[in-house]
Each structure stands twice: as C-alpha cells, then as structure tokens.
C-alpha cells in the first residue's frame, strides 16, 4: 500500500509541490541545530565540525561559514535579518554578523556546554541555556551579561521566552520545567515535574499550550496556565531530542534518538505524519519552513535534509555515516581502528580538510604545528614550536591536548595504552605520507 502511495506521490508532485526534497551538504560533522530566518529565506546549521553554515533555503546553496567556536556548535538562532547567535561545546555564545561573517560579541561566562539560545520577543536580549545548570541573559547590543538564572539541579537543555519577555521557561536534566521572573532572575514556579530529564520545550502562548520531550521518550502537551495535560503523545521511542512548531502553531514535529520524525496536529493532537528519517542514529535538530509545508532536520549525518511533509515517507532517508566505517571493525588493524574511532570524526588523512573540525593530516610528520594556511588554528597551536614527529604525537596523546598544548581547540583526549598510541602513529605515518606524496 505505502509503495503505491509513494509512487503516486512521485508522479503527481514534482512540479506542483510547494517544497522539494533538498539536502544541505558541506558540513564535516553531524548537524546539531537548525534555524529558519524570519522571512523564511535562510537556514542556519550548527555542526559538530565547530562551524555554523548559512544557506539559501530555496535551493540549498550555502552563503557563508561562520567560524569562531573552539568546539562543536550545538545551538543556533537568528536575532534579526543581519544577526545570528550560536552556542557551543566551548561554553561560549557568539553573536554573528551573518553577511559580514564577523563575530560581533563572544559571550563568555558559562561553565558548561551551551545547549540552546533564544532571543527575547523584542530582540534586545539573548538567553542561553547550559549544562552548567544556569541560563544566562545577555544584551544583544552591548554583549554584556544582564543576569543569571540559577536553581536547577542539573543541566539546562532548553529555554523559551514568554509573557512578552517578562518570564522564561527552562527545561532541565533534573526532570523539571521551571518558570522564571526575568526582572528578579528568581524562579516563580515549577511547571512540570516529569521525573526524567526534559530535553526540549515548545510553547504556543496564543493557543495556550506547552509541549515537551524527555529522555525517557515522554512527549506531553499541557495547558500553559493550569498545567492540566492536554495530550500524551508518547510513543515507544526515546530519547526525544528535537521539537519544533510551525509559525501558525498548527503542528509540532518531534525528533527522537531512533531517527524518526513525527508531526502532530495541534488541533486534536493526532499524528499527521510519522516517518523514519535516518537509517540509524538520532535526529538532533528540527525546524519547519516558513510555510509549514516541510521540516528540516539535522542528525547523525553531515548534512541537513528538507522533507516536504506530503509524501515524506517515500523520500530518501538521511545518509548513513558514509565513508568512515566501510569495513567491519574486526578486519581493521589496531592503528586504523584507533584512527576511525578517535580521530576520523575531526580529521581527514588526505590533503583536503573536508570541513572537519580539525586540520587535514596529510604530510603531518615533520610539519610544524599550526602551519596549514587554509586552516584557522587556535593561537596556542599557531604559536607553538612543536614539530609533529612520532615522539611529539605520542606526547600529545599520552598527556592529552589540555596538558601538552594548553589553550588548543583539540579535545581533552588521552590514549592511555602505549601500544594503542604506537599503532595509531604507525598507521598515521603510513597514511599521511602516501596521501601527500612527500
Ligand atoms: C573533536 C575533534 C577532534 C578529534 C576527535 C581529534 N582532533 Fe586533532 N585537532 C582538532 C582540532 C580542532 C585541531 C586544531 C587545534 C588548534 O588549532 O588548536 C586539531 C589538531 C591536531 C593536530 C595538529 C595538526 C597541525 O596541523 O598542527 C594533530 C597532529 C592532531 N590533531 C591529531 C589528532 C589525532 C591523531 C586524533 C585521534 C587520536 C585527533 N587529532 C582527534 C580536533 C580533533
């Protein structure tokens, strides 16, 4: 039956469809967050490759990369048609001038990764949620910290402004959703006690509902004022990782750890669509297009995908993690296995960096640290005197980058076993030499 449906869809839809299936390709790591501009023409993507992509929604062409995070970018939002904000694993929030590709403000203060950013309704303030258990409020114009919301017993995963910017709702790993007074920075009430960590939150003040998704798969809708449950749309999939509502508030989309996207009508809270969007692996990010006819998702693969809701289940799924794990792990040498597991998500062996978070490793041995021209290194690496040899690479992973090259953008990663380090280095020596032909 479904086959027939999808063939009919293909036959009937091509020219007439409001939105066409589209892939936003170019990131060198999974896409953790997506956001659509107010006029519906642009898309922002925040990626594990440390960068934020800016795309034309209509044809999936990319305008610019915004580079400045020193670790994975997790959260992103438009502040106006010119400004955007992002948050990352580097604990930083960055306000960007989009077309000039410049950092307007780098907002530092969080002590844990930043999981969500949202502008106040008047656009003057930015709220950032963090795994340090706080939400920080910043002046968008000044870049100054305005206040901190302290009180959750766990990381904060999401934040939404309400009451024209007078109050804020936060969702936390401590299992609660709390309402805060923005002027006093004090909690007003606990709106939800779910028990399991709450990952995502959406609110429609006009229609008066709050929807949330949690670690245990719990997906519920409550009356915003009374707290009475309007619907329990929990399925047997978990965790819930992404939640979005369309502009009109007609539907919400839910993305989960098993790679499904479910679209639910807010009229009657019935499921309108439910389709598997990835072959395996999670959906981390979701947004509706301006028309609400399509969803854009980010997940395990290095791309964002736009699915028209009409016929979404007949369209290709998000690509599997390609290229990185062709071979079964048992057939690999230990050195290659070390590289695939611990390095390949951020580095290529060839001369092209392929937009991974780290520099290309071709020609690594004998190279001065921080010397590739087309890679933007941290000052710590750029100015270091290290030359990469068997000995220095061994030290890097014996001590960890945080000790050997403090201040670098490398993750704090140690390889404890001397044999694993030696095997990895032998593999790198072979593969990076042939790649460059030096
Ligand atoms: C999460 C991403 C990430 C992972 C995983 C990672 N790296 Fe890196 N690596 C980076 C980044 C980012 C830099 C640039 C550091 C800077 O500029 O401070 C870097 C720099 C390097 C450099 C210095 C290169 C140069 O041109 O100076 C080497 C060598 C290196 N990494 C090797 C490795 C190896 C080997 C592994 C696996 C054991 C690994 N890295 C895992 C992100 C990563």
């Amino acid at each position: 039956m479904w086959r027939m449906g999808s063939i009919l869809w293909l036959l009937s839809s091509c020219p007439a469809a409001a939105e066409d299936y589209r892939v936003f390709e170019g990131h060198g790591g999974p896409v953790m967050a997506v956001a659509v501009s107010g006029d519906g023409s642009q898309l922002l993507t925040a990626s594990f490759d440390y960068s934020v992509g800016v795309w034309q929604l209509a044809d999936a062409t990319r305008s610019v990369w915004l580079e400045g995070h020193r670790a994975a970018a997790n959260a992103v939002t438009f502040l106006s048609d010119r400004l955007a904000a992002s948050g990352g694993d580097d604990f930083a929030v960055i306000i960007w001038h989009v077309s000039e590709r410049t950092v307007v403000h780098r907002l530092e203060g969080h002590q844990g990764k930043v999981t969500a950013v949202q502008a106040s309704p008047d656009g003057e303030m930015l709220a950032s949620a963090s795994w340090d258990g706080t939400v920080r409020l910043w002046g968008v114009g000044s870049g100054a910290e305005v206040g901190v919301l302290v009180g959750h017993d766990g990381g904060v995963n999401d934040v939404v402004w309400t009451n024209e910017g007078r109050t804020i709702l936060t969702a936390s790993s401590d299992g609660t959703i709390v309402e805060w007074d923005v002027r006093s920075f004090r909690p007003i009430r606990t709106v939800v006690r779910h028990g399991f960590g709450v990952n995502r939150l959406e609110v429609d003040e006009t229609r008066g509902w709050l929807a949330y998704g949690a670690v245990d798969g719990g997906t519920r809708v409550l009356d915003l004022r009374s707290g009475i449950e309007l619907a329990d749309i929990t399925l047997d999939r978990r965790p819930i990782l992404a939640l979005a509502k369309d502009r009109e508030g007609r539907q919400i989309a839910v993305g989960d750890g098993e790679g499904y996207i479910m679209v639910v009508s807010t009229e009657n809270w019935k499921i309108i669509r439910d389709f598997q969007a990835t072959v395996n692996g999670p959906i981390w990010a979701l947004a509706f297009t301006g028309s609400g006819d399509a969803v854009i998702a980010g997940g395990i693969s290095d791309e964002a995908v736009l699915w028209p809701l009409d016929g979404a289940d007949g369209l290709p799924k998000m690509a599997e993690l390609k290229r990185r794990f062709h071979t079964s792990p048992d057939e690999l040498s230990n050195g290659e296995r070390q590289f695939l597991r611990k390095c390949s998500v951020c580095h290529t062996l060839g001369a092209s960096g392929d937009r991974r978070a780290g520099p290309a490793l071709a020609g690594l041995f004998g190279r001065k640290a921080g010397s590739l021209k087309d890679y933007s290194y941290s000052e710590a690496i750029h100015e270091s005197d290290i030359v990469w040899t068997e000995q220095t690479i061994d030290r890097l992973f014996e001590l960890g980058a945080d000790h050997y090259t403090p201040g670098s953008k490398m993750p704090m990663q140690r390889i404890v076993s001397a044999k694993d380090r030696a095997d990895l280095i032998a593999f790198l020596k072979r593969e990076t030499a042939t790649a460059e032909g030096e």
Side-chain angles (χ1 to χ4, degrees):
M1 273 306 279
W2 66 268
R3 249 174 207 289
M4 195 58 181
S6 60
I7 290 166
L8 287 178
W9 181 86
L10 284 172
L11 290 176
S12 65
S13 69
C14 294
E19 298 280 4
D20 290 324
Y21 177 82
R22 226 162 296 158
V23 179
F24 300 77
E25 266 177 306
H27 274 298
V31 172
M32 312 300 293
V34 290
V36 175
S37 62
D39 66 1
S41 71
Q42 287 187 294
L43 175 72
L44 294 173
T45 50
S47 168
F48 189 83
D49 73 7
Y50 297 20
S51 70
V52 171
V54 186
W55 315 75
Q56 296 308 315
L57 237 162
D59 59 3
T61 54
R62 183 177 29 78
S63 334
V64 290
W65 295 118
L66 304 176
E67 315 247 13
H69 279 293
R70 296 177 189 138
N74 294 319
V76 74
T77 187
F78 276 99
L79 301 174
S80 65
D81 50 356
R82 289 174 305 119
L83 299 181
S86 61
D89 272 3
D90 55 358
F91 308 175
V93 175
I94 298 182
I95 297 181
W96 306 90
H97 192 293
V98 172
S99 55
E100 290 173 12
R101 295 165 54 185
T102 48
V103 174
V104 182
H105 297 295
R106 191 184 175 85
L107 311 175
E108 312 230 350
H110 278 300
Q111 303 295 314
K113 70 165 164 174
V114 178
T115 49
V117 284
Q118 212 200 27
S120 61
D122 64 7
E124 309 237 313
M125 281 211 272
L126 180 68
S128 56
S130 165
W131 278 13
D132 68 9
T134 71
V135 165
R136 276 166 207 266
L137 306 176
W138 317 85
V140 168
S142 64
E145 187 178 294
V146 179
V148 191
L149 311 183
V150 187
H152 275 297
D153 285 333
V156 186
N157 297 318
D158 209 352
V159 56
V160 174
W161 294 82
T162 44
N163 283 311
E164 291 163 343
R166 290 191 298 277
T167 51
I168 275 181
L169 291 170
T170 54
S172 166
S173 300
D174 68 12
T176 66
I177 296 175
V178 171
E179 185 178 31
W180 305 77
D181 176 10
V182 169
R183 227 164 314 150
S184 67
F185 312 125
R186 311 277 313 163
I188 301 170
R189 61 181 178 130
T190 300
V191 181
V192 172
R193 286 177 205 281
H194 181 68
F196 295 90
V198 183
N199 283 339
R200 289 290 155 208
L201 174 64
E202 278 293 344
V203 172
D204 186 328
E205 291 187 274
T206 315
R207 294 173 192 235
W209 53 256
L210 170 164
Y212 71 87
V215 168
D216 64 330
T219 318
R220 296 213 166 83
V221 187
L222 311 180
D223 181 272
L224 189 54
R225 268 156 283 279
S226 68
I228 291 170
E229 185 171 294
L230 300 176
D232 185 344
I233 46 178
T234 306
L235 301 178
D236 59 354
R237 301 191 296 244
R238 65 202 153 109
I240 304 304
L241 298 170
L243 200 57
K245 75 170 195 308
D246 71 3
R247 296 263 155 95
E248 311 284 315
R250 285 178 291 132
Q251 49 189 353
I252 60 170
V254 183
D256 61 49
E258 295 170 37
Y260 285 80
I261 297 176
M262 162 171 88
V263 180
V264 176
S265 159
T266 61
E267 300 291 338
N268 53 16
W269 303 106
K270 295 247 156 63
I271 299 174
I272 313 171
R273 314 264 167 214
D274 186 36
F275 64 101
Q276 194 184 358
T278 69
V279 175
N280 54 22
I283 290 291
W284 272 304
L286 275 177
F288 280 93
T289 53
S291 66
D293 290 344
V295 281
I296 303 160
I300 190 70
S301 84
D302 302 352
E303 61 201 14
V305 175
L306 180 150
W307 282 277
L309 289 178
D310 220 359
D313 39 11
L315 289 164
K317 297 180 185 29
M318 196 173 275
E320 267 179 288
L321 258 194
K322 307 166 203 156
R323 69 177 184 269
R324 287 179 199 150
F325 305 99
H326 308 290
T327 332
S328 102
D330 317 335
E331 292 165 30
L332 303 174
S333 71
N334 183 40
E336 181 166 16
R337 191 157 52 235
Q338 296 292 322
F339 178 79
L340 286 175
R341 285 202 185 145
K342 297 175 181 166
C343 324
S344 67
V345 67
C346 295
H347 290 287
T348 62
L349 293 166
S352 147
D354 221 3
R355 282 218 67 70
R356 302 281 163 86
L361 296 182
L364 179 66
F365 288 78
R367 178 162 110 198
K368 194 185 151 309
S371 59
L372 287 185
K373 287 193 187 56
D374 58 355
Y375 182 81
S376 143
Y377 291 94
S378 66
E379 251 169 66
I381 291 285
H382 189 67
E383 280 162 19
S384 107
D385 298 326
I386 295 171
V387 174
W388 296 119
T389 62
E390 286 168 50
Q391 290 74 33
T392 53
I393 297 172
D394 188 65
R395 293 289 283 169
L396 175 63
F397 291 102
E398 185 185 4
L399 301 175
D402 47 329
H403 289 109
Y404 190 54
T405 52
S408 106
K409 295 192 288 177
M410 275 275 275
M412 288 183 226
Q413 172 168 237
R414 290 176 64 221
I415 299 176
V416 179
S417 146
K419 172 158 191 316
D420 286 349
R421 291 199 305 274
D423 289 349
L424 171 66
I425 288 166
F427 171 79
L428 285 175
K429 206 161 181 195
R430 196 168 67 238
E431 295 297 322
T432 59
T434 47
E436 179 93 326
E438 280 188 356

